[in-house]
Amino acid sequence: MPLTSSKLSTSTSLFTFPSKPPPPIVSFLLFLILCILGFYSLHHPQRSYSTPLSENSIKFLSLASNFTLSDYLRSLTSHSHLAGTKPSLDTIQYVFSHFEQLGLEAHTVKYNTLLSYPQHVSLLAHFSDGGVVNFSLTEKGVAQNALFDIVQPYHAYSPSGSAYGKVVFVNYGREEDYRALEVMGVNVSGCLVMARKGESLSRGGVITIAEGKGALGVLLYAERDGVDGVERGTVMRGVGDPLSPGWAGNAQTILESLAGGFMPQSWGDLGRVNGGRVGPGPTLVNLTYQGEEKVATIQNIFAVIRGLEEPDRYVLLGNHRDAWTYGAVDPNSGTAALLDIARRYAMLMRKGWSPRRTIILCSWDAEEFGMVGSTEWVEQNLVNLGAKVVAYLNVDCAVQGPGFFAGATPQLDNLLIEVTKNVKDPDSDGVTVYDQWAATNSVVNIQRLSGVDSDFAPFLQHAGVPSVDVYYGRDFPVYHTAYDSYTWMVNHADPLFLRHVAVAGVWGLLALRLADDSILHFNYLSYADQLQAHKDILSNLLDGSVSLDPLTMAIQELTTAAKEAEVEAKRLMEQETIGHVPVLKIRALNDRLMLAERGFLDADGLQGRKWFKHLIYGPPSDYESKLGFFPGIANAISQSTKTSKRDGQALIQHEVWRVARAIQRAASALRGELT
Ligand SMILES: *[C@@H]1O[C@H](CO)[C@@H](O)[C@H](O)[C@H]1NC(C)=O
Ligand SMILES: *[C@@H]1O[C@H](CO)[C@@H](O)[C@H](O)[C@H]1NC(C)=O
Ligand SMILES: *[C@@H]1O[C@H](CO)[C@@H](O)[C@H](O)[C@H]1NC(C)=O
Ligand SMILES: *[C@@H]1O[C@H](CO)[C@@H](O)[C@H](O)[C@H]1NC(C)=O
């Protein structure tokens, strides 16, 4: 996974801003960072014809093996495998030959893309007493390519250069923090800002806001205490004294040397970490980054299991393979699960099974550089994807720690819940993943996929394909460091590989259901309810200043269409049980269920960010937006603060209309009749 707001990283993040306008890929990368994910409660009744586990599903579950998962992970993490580098070719070979040896139809698709690699990174602090500290930026105890391990993806594609200036402490780097500084008369223009990593703002958010204020660079640090559940000492013992956990100490050295006004009281008790002053200076820092951009070959790998009855309908399982370092969590816990699903599907095939629809296992490359592999593929296959892909099921960091988490487009909520009721919980006996998941929060929370932090983004936000993303645990402390290793996994995240088993179970069963069910288990009433809940939140936020009637009416249309589809599905199921199989009618209904999601796409995309076509789920451009949905409306709301009241309301109203029309398009695709 590249950059997410939910990641509490312990690694140092150093950024310089390009002096020229960034190339488009940089802008794209910046979007990765935006993810303000809403959590929503679910209370939808199960569809009344819910299917009992098929024989193949039971067989699939019985073939689970924590031993094979552990073996796969060990092999995948034997060396670091950054996209486009020589060591990554071994990993490609490993995955490809795994698929081939299982007898699956495997192929690779190569792309020559411009990737960017760091050559030299340095950070020097010049103190007012004349002292100079040259901070070590390599993680000790790891191989020479460790430079890759600590350099954050934001650097990718950024021009080389030095940023030299006074340091200002900006707390979490939020707008409100800069307002507090402004009150104190502190202007960060021409300075380097130092921020501590907070939960409310992603790294990308910190950077974009700082750039907007004229800062030359950002030094971001995570406080030791901010990391849950992991003994850093133990992490370090295995591999030496890493920079990352120590960086809080480096940060402290700089912070203690600042003069200027005292930090506002509202920033809490920071006296412990520093002298309590914000700067600017007198300490100067020199942050230098020198990178090289080169055209490198990346490879996506596919294993295709042809559908028997509907070979031209596809269910995709995807995970990226490239890693900043060894990638035990990010992303190869997911790769291990993908390889184990391949193994189990191959065994089912040997017993005579073929899916109804085609299943494709996808292993993406260069995700860490901004989902390059999956995005290229989605753009290249856009027409076929639009017409034929039923769903995209993503797993990135499959296991980061305890606790089940899931994101989905809402028509898949019910299926996801059903499937989790069929998979054993990895941490307690006699209960299912669902039981534990529901018990943790008293209701089941399913995230919506507005973030641009993994390969589901191009599928959902560009191509309108219903998507799912599942994982165990969150906020692991070795994110994007050289300590994301097999050893860390065994010691901290999944000692017996049973969480890997659970993820593979949920992921593989979901795909079996979507590939084999004669009628797709998509529930658009769930979508309509979710849209209604989104509308209610929006309504509270806007406080009556803009009419939401168009949304109300569009959601009503979707509800009606969803109810009709449910009735039709039930009728077709009944006919099927008494032996009349209305094949074409079932296929027609399935196509409408598949295509309704595409209705949310808008050809013009989000304003100023045309690539993002989905008007319900996508990243808002304002990092502090309160909305984790309706990104166009969210943008209009933040823009409206910079215009007259009337113009602002007109902007918002326009975006409300666009969303309403998108919902109507989805309703009409679901109904299938031309108006
Ligand atoms: C800082 O240290 C690195 C190695 O740790 C060295 O390569 C570099 O030359 C040093 N820079 C200065 C200005 O001393
Ligand atoms: C900060 O300083 C810059 C450059 O001197 C200036 O353009 C900008 O308006 C100042 N910002 C504020 C909020 O005073
Ligand atoms: C900053 O550091 C780089 C690399 O060590 C050096 O080339 C550059 O001259 C330094 N800049 C200043 C202003 O000291
Ligand atoms: C697999 O799980 C069993 C317990 O169910 C455990 O004894 C065994 O050590 C695990 N294997 C691995 C490789 O972790």
Side-chain angles (χ1 to χ4, degrees), residues 183-334:
V183 169
M184 299 168 63
V186 176
N187 184 343
V188 302
S189 177
C191 298
L192 281 100
V193 301
M194 176 170 280
R196 53 175 172 159
K197 184 74 188 78
E199 278 183 19
S200 66
L201 191 56
S202 68
R203 280 191 246 190
V206 175
I207 293 160
T208 304
I209 293 173
E211 188 173 15
K213 306 287 175 198
L216 297 178
V218 178
L219 310 167
L220 190 63
Y221 72 96
E223 289 160 309
R224 277 164 200 261
D225 299 340
V227 179
D228 42 8
V230 177
E231 293 167 74
R232 304 289 213 63
T234 317
V235 178
M236 285 184 269
R237 210 168 296 139
V239 268
D241 175 31
L243 160 79
S244 326
W247 172 241
N250 290 347
Q252 187 175 345
T253 311
I254 295 177
L255 287 172
E256 279 172 352
S257 70
L258 296 182
F262 285 102
M263 289 173 195
Q265 295 250 301
S266 59
W267 291 5
D269 175 25
L270 282 159
R272 192 170 48 82
V273 235
N274 58 60
R277 294 172 189 259
V278 298
T283 304
L284 293 149
V285 297
N286 176 355
L287 171 59
T288 301
Y289 170 76
Q290 201 184 339
E292 96 181 303
E293 289 187 1
K294 62 181 177 200
V295 176
T297 304
I298 61 168
Q299 303 192 37
N300 295 332
I301 308 170
F302 302 91
V304 182
I305 302 172
R306 296 273 168 210
L308 200 60
E309 286 138 297
E310 301 187 73
D312 63 340
R313 288 295 176 271
Y314 299 91
V315 175
L316 310 179
L317 294 84
N319 156 263
H320 77 93
R321 182 185 61 251
D322 65 302
W324 284 106
T325 70
Y326 304 102
V329 173
D330 184 3
N332 300 127
S333 52

Side-chain angles (χ1 to χ4, degrees), residues 423-500:
V423 178
K424 206 182 144 319
D425 184 80
D427 298 301
S428 359
D429 284 332
V431 303
T432 64
V433 168
Y434 174 82
D435 295 331
Q436 199 56 39
W437 183 26
T440 311
N441 306 292
S442 75
V443 281
V444 158
N445 287 318
I446 298 182
Q447 282 171 261
R448 298 308 170 204
L449 302 171
S450 283
V452 191
D453 54 358
S454 192
D455 294 299
F456 58 76
F459 284 93
L460 175 63
Q461 297 165 9
H462 189 67
V465 174
S467 299
V468 172
D469 186 50
V470 296
Y471 49 101
Y472 259 85
R474 64 194 322 178
D475 295 341
F476 63 108
V478 295
Y479 177 62
H480 287 183
T481 71
Y483 308 101
D484 182 3
S485 66
Y486 181 85
T487 311
W488 189 85
M489 177 63 78
V490 172
N491 287 342
H492 299 281
D494 200 11
L496 300 179
F497 284 84
L498 298 177
R499 292 174 188 152
H500 279 76

